[in-house]
Amino acid sequence: MSARLDAPPAASVEPVRRSPPGLVAARVAAMCLVELQKLRHDRAELLTRAVQPALWLLIFGQVFTGLRAIPTGNVPYLDFLAPGILAQSALFIAIFYGIQIIWERDAGVLAKLLVTPTPRVALVTGKAFAAGVRALVQALVVLVLAALLGVGLTTNPVNLVAMGAVVVLGSAFFCCLSITIAGLVLSRDRLMGIGQAITMPLFFASNALYPVDLMPGWLKAVDYANPLGYEVDALRGLLIGTPAHLALDFGVLVVAAGAMIGIAAALLGRLAR
């Protein structure tokens, strides 16, 4: 009697494993904590990074406030400028975060992380929020300097917490943009060149220095597609009380950060090859 070939039981087909949300959140927190431990050894860098925003506020802000060359309504230009410089300082910290990823690849750290059970999206999200906390430390320096210069900042704790969330979301987007570029170019030198090439256009093509109403039509279109513009708009509304579209700003930043985290996670494996 010939043996009958039966179909393999359904139980033998191993289902695709999905990480539960709680595990992913725990991995994100762990990766973020590891990244933040580096801040203890990076205090000098944070201080040196504060020099550039200080120069913008002390020189550019003071001069243009006296000249009254840029109409900002009833808001002093230095008050108008301070949230834009805060967003700029966070951008400059986050946009070069991909260099650290390439360094970790060259040191063999990234390959070891990718073979752990930690989901790639958790690795990227942890680094993104670590960049956000670095940016918050930088933002604190800018806020203290702005207050010393007489900028009328809010003291509402709810607004300050919301400001922190905006800075973290904006930094997460630009950090993951940097990781995405790193996954495409695979070189520190190329990443540095591209980062330097896009930071100033992102900054000047936003409402950080001047109101949107003063922009030509083509620059307004660029500003509408620039997440930095939404970050600055939210920061102005929260810190100095100017009219802002907070719901739209938060929505754009959340969607942009989430999408860029997914793209960066998809390209993370390419760095380790």
Side-chain angles (χ1 to χ4, degrees):
M1 182 176 178
S2 60
R4 187 178 59 175
L5 297 177
D6 294 328
S12 65
V13 180
E14 187 173 341
V16 178
R17 293 183 179 179
R18 295 180 180 272
S19 301
L23 176 60
V24 174
R27 300 293 187 182
V28 169
M31 289 303 304
C32 189
L33 183 61
V34 169
E35 290 294 315
L36 294 181
Q37 293 295 326
K38 301 174 184 177
L39 277 176
R40 294 190 303 175
H41 309 287
D42 231 357
R43 296 172 186 174
E45 182 184 354
L46 290 173
L47 291 176
T48 55
R49 286 183 182 275
V51 172
Q52 188 173 33
L55 291 176
W56 276 97
L57 289 174
L58 288 170
I59 299 177
F60 192 87
Q62 295 280 3
V63 169
F64 275 77
T65 297
L67 291 176
R68 301 182 185 276
I70 301 178
T72 55
N74 297 325
V75 180
Y77 183 70
L78 187 60
D79 292 29
F80 179 87
L81 179 66
I85 299 304
L86 192 156
Q88 179 216 44
S89 64
L91 163 68
F92 284 5
I93 285 178
I95 200 66
F96 294 107
Y97 224 77
I99 295 177
Q100 180 180 338
I101 295 290
I102 296 178
W103 178 86
E104 290 180 353
R105 178 203 64 186
D106 295 342
V109 176
L110 182 59
K112 294 177 181 178
L113 289 174
L114 290 177
V115 298
T116 66
T118 304
R120 294 181 182 181
V121 69
L123 295 173
V124 173
T125 305
K127 291 183 178 297
F129 281 95
V133 175
R134 280 177 176 260
L136 281 177
V137 177
Q138 183 77 58
L140 180 62
V141 175
V142 176
L143 289 177
V144 170
L145 179 59
L148 292 176
L149 292 175
V151 175
L153 298 172
T154 184
T155 57
N156 187 329
V158 176
N159 284 19
L160 293 176
V161 170
M163 178 273 298
V166 169
V167 172
V168 169
L169 286 171
S171 300
F173 170 82
F174 289 112
C175 170
C176 292
L177 175 62
S178 179
I179 295 174
T180 299
I181 296 173
L184 294 173
V185 301
L186 306 176
S187 166
R188 273 178 288 186
D189 293 337
R190 291 179 182 176
L191 176 59
M192 180 68 74
I194 294 174
Q196 291 175 343
I198 66 176
T199 47
M200 296 314 291
L202 283 171
F203 178 54
F204 285 110
S206 73
N207 54 351
L209 296 179
Y210 27 71
V212 177
D213 295 339
L214 300 181
M215 298 179 182
W218 66 270
L219 192 55
K220 288 182 181 179
V222 175
D223 178 66
Y224 292 147
N226 185 358
L228 186 65
Y230 296 93
E231 182 180 355
V232 173
D233 184 68
L235 290 176
R236 280 206 182 101
L238 293 168
L239 291 176
I240 63 174
T242 57
H245 312 85
L246 292 179
L248 176 63
D249 297 333
F250 271 97
V252 170
L253 290 174
V254 168
V255 171
M260 195 54 65
I261 285 173
I263 295 171
L267 289 173
L268 195 62
R270 188 170 185 268
L271 273 167
R273 293 175 187 170

